[in-house]
Structures are given as structure tokens and as C-alpha cells.
Amino acid sequence: MELYSQKSSLNLAPMGDELVMMDLSQGQYFGLNSLASQIWSLLVTPKSVDELVVELMSSFDVTEEVCRADTAHFLQQLVDKKLVNVTTAA
């Protein structure tokens, strides 16, 4: 099972209910909307997709199928942009 967690070297700035991140190593800015910001805040400790889905479904009126698909898609974007750490749990 893969666990995702925040990359600690990012600079963060809240903007209302959104979040702006800068990765100095890449020299790029990234913006997160309110839902993405909530997922990001949950990644302060390593979490699996299953754990994220359970927590998000308690906060948002969404089906498990949609929540799982959207969460997995967002996590893949974070992985592709090297904004999260991915570890494998036994």
C-alpha cells in the first residue's frame, strides 16, 4: 500500500480557502483550490488513498467512487510534479 505525505521543502502561503505553494528546487508555483488544500492538509502525516477517502467523505457530500477517483487523480498530479513523498507500507 502506498502512503503519501507532504514534501517538507515547499514554501506555502494561504490565500483565502486556497493555497499557493512554491517549490524552490523546481522554481515553480502551484495553486491548490479548497478541496486540494484540504487533501494537502491531511497529508501532514502519511496517508493511503483509502484513509484520505474516508476523511474526505466525512467532510464533503460525494460518492465514494467519485471521491476515490478525484483523490487518486490529484495524488498522481502531486507525484508527477514531485510535490509529495510516496512510501510503501507493509
Side-chain angles (χ1 to χ4, degrees):
M1 165 178 29
E2 290 184 328
L3 300 176
Y4 301 86
S5 61
Q6 295 178 355
K7 184 176 171 185
S8 62
S9 62
L10 300 174
N11 292 324
L12 307 170
M15 296 187 71
D17 61 350
E18 298 183 357
L19 187 65
V20 176
M21 303 186 309
M22 180 168 184
D23 185 344
L24 294 175
S25 67
Q26 297 183 54
Q28 292 187 332
Y29 285 95
F30 303 94
L32 302 180
N33 65 25
S34 60
L35 175 57
S37 295
Q38 175 131 6
I39 293 171
W40 181 260
S41 71
L42 294 172
L43 296 177
V44 72
T45 58
K47 297 253 188 316
S48 68
V49 171
D50 290 341
E51 291 170 317
L52 289 169
V53 168
V54 167
E55 291 193 44
L56 292 168
M57 287 183 60
S58 70
S59 299
F60 295 95
D61 184 23
V62 63
T63 66
E64 182 177 350
E65 181 180 335
V66 169
C67 186
R68 185 172 299 283
D70 289 352
T71 301
H73 178 73
F74 176 64
L75 288 172
Q76 188 58 54
Q77 289 178 323
L78 292 175
V79 169
D80 292 346
K81 293 176 180 170
K82 300 177 182 161
L83 299 174
V84 291
N85 299 311
V86 182
T87 56
T88 304

